Amino acid sequence: MAPTHKFFFNPFTILFLGFLISFIMISFPAEAAIKKYNFDIQMKNVSRLCHAKPTVTVNGRFPGPTIYVREGDRLQINVTNHVKYNMHGMKQYRNGWADGPAYITQCPIQTGNSYTYDYNVTGQRGTLWWHAHILWLRATVYGAIVVMPKQGTPFPFPQPNREFEVVLGEWWNSDVETIVKQGNAMGLPPNSSDAHTINGKPGPLFPCSEKHTFAMEVEQGKTYLLRIVNAALNDELFFALAGHNMTVVEVDAVYTKPFMTQAILIAPGQTTNVLVKASQAPGRYFAAARPFLDVPLPVDNKTATAIFQYKGIPNTVIPTLPQLPAQNDSSFALNYNKKLKSLNTPKFPANVPLTVDRNLFYTIGLGKDSCPTCLNGTRLVASLNNISFNMPQIGLLQAHYFNIKGVFKTDFPDKPSTPFNYTGAPLTANLGTLVGTRVSKIKFNSTVELVLQDTNLLTVESHPFHLHGYNFFVVGTGIGNFDPAKDPTKYNLIDPVERNTVGVPTGGWTAIRFRADNPGVWFMHCHLELHTGWGLKTAFVVEDGPRSDQTVLPPPKDLPFC
């Protein structure tokens, strides 16, 4: 995800799922099963859409392998880097050393070197994902993580007969890094992808894709759990299944109140689990994914498809396509997200902070910086509170833990220095931004409310934001400017959805709350790779607590250093 500006390290940091993840404790109960994985990061020729190209893969696979683990297991992943790049993964309590974002919590794994991620998976279960966390490498370096409940613990919904992972992604015919460098050199967004994919396959609506189609064989009357991940770099996606309703039961590895829908909306970095009953006339039905974009910006608008195929139906039967929402269907997006609520039962409570110690208000903006060599003499940038984040050359967590001065400042403003009409007429003048490695310092165990406000600097746009190291509660969202007097009175403080990546609506705002009980340095960024690269990111330094079990753990001896 987050690009780094230092390529000479030939890095490839593995960032295991810095999204929704389990609290990784460092105690290893004797009864815990040990699950071992070897990940070899290597180049391999991959062919899609009649184009072959050298591609960064894990174990020669695109997408990479799924990690299967049960809550309470000990997980050991040995990563060996055979290429010149870097990688991210699980939410870890007190142990940001293995969180993965390059130059935030750790330095990259050097070419030819290995690093073993070793931890116990506790406190969470569901669908997560792992991916590269440097440059645009996660275009091909990603995969699902399936955390099953403890043995003998049932799902809080009807037991499915079978499960399928459905990982949505993007494909470029040309080398992705070359495309990004060309765009940066011109000061413009790089070309959008040539196809969307489902489990790395575009489906039969694309050329040369007959064999590049993912199929799920199902039996009439049986129920299936689809574990859906959006691993696309830059597109929020609609997903639907022709002729079948879906029941949403989990997002970002947190159970939700079940509700039925004909389509889901899923942003980059998010996961959604749905139940589907094979209750229709036996046949072949397309599952399809297509972007949601409610502003006039260029996007790869082609539809990726997979096939939901009833047993015994021949492949010669032409599948039917689902009715997806229109590309710019904002009302579907808002209504869908409003339906997402926490289960909030005695076994799965929603521990929403009801009081707030620290109120933060961050504006999201696009801007232009001077660039004499660029096409228009300017380069597009992105900012929070008018600050574009500058990546350091040493991991922020290392600098924090070892008290290394001069790497970052803890003076990120709690609110914009100059309030304005954030979502009024487009603002196209005075679009320069400040640049700095500036973060917010947060007291341990304090409660935080963060309002993320979209702005019409150049254009409004939706932004999926991901916070590493934490889940948070989405207590409110709205269109227009956030009103601190009226809007908090409408918050849902009973059963708001809990997740780790949330969409800020186009020309609107989202309010989240969390308790800062995980010490360390934790990255927060837009999950549109384009905007992250332009500086739409920051970090929280959460101070140690008073007890010894509330402090950042010492770094492992084999931690890669810069």
Side-chain angles (χ1 to χ4, degrees):
M1 285 176 238
T4 152
H5 305 303
K6 284 292 185 186
F7 305 130
F8 54 79
F9 284 115
N10 286 342
F12 200 98
T13 299
I14 193 148
L15 331 137
F16 262 78
L17 216 198
F19 294 36
L20 4 122
I21 277 106
S22 355
F23 289 70
I24 309 294
M25 303 300 200
I26 300 310
S27 58
F28 298 124
E31 68 276 9
I34 298 177
K35 300 285 176 64
K36 295 187 178 185
Y37 287 85
N38 286 307
F39 276 19
D40 286 308
I41 315 303
Q42 54 197 209
M43 300 298 292
K44 184 184 178 183
N45 260 1
V46 175
S47 177
R48 296 288 187 275
L49 275 58
C50 322
H51 288 75
K53 65 175 183 180
T55 302
V56 183
T57 66
V58 175
N59 299 348
R61 293 167 58 179
F62 161 64
T66 298
I67 293 172
Y68 296 96
V69 67
R70 193 175 285 281
E71 186 183 355
D73 286 350
R74 181 173 177 176
L75 184 59
Q76 295 177 332
I77 305 155
N78 181 258
V79 181
T80 303
N81 176 26
H82 299 285
V83 300
K84 61 174 183 175
Y85 298 110
N86 209 51
M87 270 174 42
H88 157 77
M90 294 203 143
K91 180 172 105 194
Q92 320 207 14
Y93 183 65
R94 302 171 56 212
N95 186 26
W97 304 109
D99 184 43
Y103 301 101
I104 300 295
T105 53
Q106 68 178 95
C107 297
I109 300 171
Q110 307 299 303
T111 302
N113 289 2
S114 299
Y115 180 63
T116 298
Y117 294 82
D118 186 345
Y119 42 78
N120 218 44
V121 180
T122 66
Q124 213 168 6
R125 77 295 308 158
T127 305
L128 306 168
W129 65 301
W130 58 265
H131 56 279
H133 214 302
I134 189 170
L135 311 172
W136 282 35
L137 259 290
R138 73 177 176 89
T140 56
V141 180
Y142 60 85
I145 301 177
V146 173
V147 182
M148 296 296 291
K150 289 179 182 175
Q151 201 78 46
T153 303
F155 294 126
F157 48 79
Q159 182 73 27
N161 296 99
R162 190 181 168 189
E163 302 180 4
F164 295 101
E165 289 100 50
V166 178
V167 186
L168 312 176
E170 292 181 87
W171 170 264
W172 279 260
N173 287 332
S174 301
D175 176 68
V176 178
E177 289 308 309
T178 302
I179 292 169
V180 175
K181 285 172 186 168
Q182 287 170 344
N184 288 343
M186 292 190 291
L188 298 171
N191 293 340
S192 54
S193 54
D194 295 290
H196 290 101
T197 58
I198 299 177
N199 291 343
K201 299 173 177 182
L205 304 185
F206 289 89
C208 301
S209 294
E210 291 76 16
K211 67 176 182 177
H212 296 306
T213 301
F214 174 65
M216 300 169 266
E217 187 179 75
V218 300
E219 294 182 47
Q220 193 170 31
K222 291 192 173 177
T223 299
Y224 297 86
L225 181 69
L226 307 189
R227 296 178 176 272
I228 306 164
V229 176
N230 186 352
L233 272 78
N234 292 306
D235 292 334
E236 295 183 76
L237 295 167
F238 291 121
F239 177 86
L241 180 56
H244 297 73
N245 286 323
M246 298 177 286
T247 300
V248 176
V249 292
E250 177 201 301
V251 296
D252 292 4
V254 181
Y255 296 132
T256 61
K257 286 188 171 69
F259 69 93
M260 194 174 281
T261 184
Q262 290 185 314
I264 68 164
L265 176 64
I266 184 166
Q270 292 181 336
T271 69
T272 304
N273 283 8
V274 300
L275 290 173
V276 178
K277 186 159 188 182
S279 58
Q280 299 303 304
R284 300 175 83 221
Y285 298 85
F286 270 135
R290 190 180 65 199
F292 162 61
L293 190 69
D294 54 357
V295 286
L297 293 173
V299 67
D300 165 17
N301 197 30
K302 304 179 191 77
T303 302
T305 52
I307 297 174
F308 195 76
Q309 180 159 342
Y310 283 68
K311 198 170 182 178
I313 299 298
N315 289 350
T316 50
V317 174
I318 305 295
T320 51
L321 271 167
Q323 189 72 39
L324 286 159
Q327 179 184 318
N328 62 352
D329 195 339
S330 306
S331 62
F332 176 93
L334 288 166
N335 288 329
Y336 173 81
N337 284 321
K338 275 181 189 165
K339 291 176 189 170
L340 293 169
K341 296 181 190 298
S342 286
L343 208 50
N344 195 20
T345 61
K347 193 169 183 183
F348 302 104
N351 296 315
V352 194
L354 299 180
T355 58
V356 175
D357 300 318
R358 182 86 174 269
N359 281 282
L360 305 175
F361 184 82
Y362 290 0
T363 56
I364 305 162
L366 298 177
K368 291 180 179 180
D369 278 354
S370 174
C371 174
T373 59
C374 293
L375 193 63
N376 301 314
T378 57
R379 170 182 285 125
L380 288 166
V381 293
S383 65
L384 288 167
N385 284 351
N386 204 43
I387 298 166
S388 286
F389 190 84
N390 189 41
M391 294 297 285
Q393 296 175 23
I394 179 175
L396 295 182
L397 182 59
Q398 286 163 268
H400 168 62
Y401 186 83
F402 293 107
N403 199 24
I404 301 168
K405 305 295 185 189
V407 177
F408 63 85
K409 293 181 178 177
T410 56
D411 63 349
F412 191 91
D414 285 5
K415 59 183 187 294
S417 58
T418 309
F420 59 97
N421 182 4
Y422 307 114
T423 55
L427 297 161
T428 55
N430 303 319
L431 290 171
T433 62
L434 302 172
V435 177
T437 310
R438 299 168 66 180
V439 303
S440 289
K441 186 176 272 195
I442 307 285
K443 280 191 166 52
F444 179 81
N445 212 36
S446 61
T447 54
V448 179
E449 178 175 307
L450 168 60
V451 176
L452 290 159
Q453 171 74 60
D454 188 31
T455 68
N456 207 352
L457 291 163
L458 282 183
T459 179
V460 288
E461 193 175 347
S462 61
H463 299 270
F465 265 83
H466 171 55
L467 175 59
H468 291 228
Y470 289 91
N471 282 353
F472 50 72
F473 291 95
V474 184
V475 294
T477 191
I479 300 301
N481 296 340
F482 175 74
D483 184 331
K486 294 180 182 173
D487 287 325
T489 64
K490 303 174 205 161
Y491 283 174
N492 175 5
L493 300 177
I494 306 297
D495 59 356
V497 68
E498 180 182 349
R499 58 188 328 163
N500 57 58
T501 303
V502 65
V504 179
T506 300
W509 57 271
T510 292
I512 66 172
R513 286 187 181 183
F514 63 95
R515 180 175 292 280
D517 56 3
N518 191 5
V521 181
W522 302 105
F523 199 25
M524 189 186 77
H525 58 95
C526 179
H527 225 298
L528 302 179
E529 208 57 48
L530 182 65
H531 293 166
T532 299
W534 288 350
L536 196 46
K537 53 201 172 191
T538 184
F540 293 114
V541 175
V542 178
E543 296 175 329
D544 284 344
R547 301 200 318 249
S548 60
D549 62 349
Q550 297 170 336
T551 61
V552 176
L553 290 162
K557 290 186 171 59
D558 59 344
L559 180 77
F561 275 74
C562 298

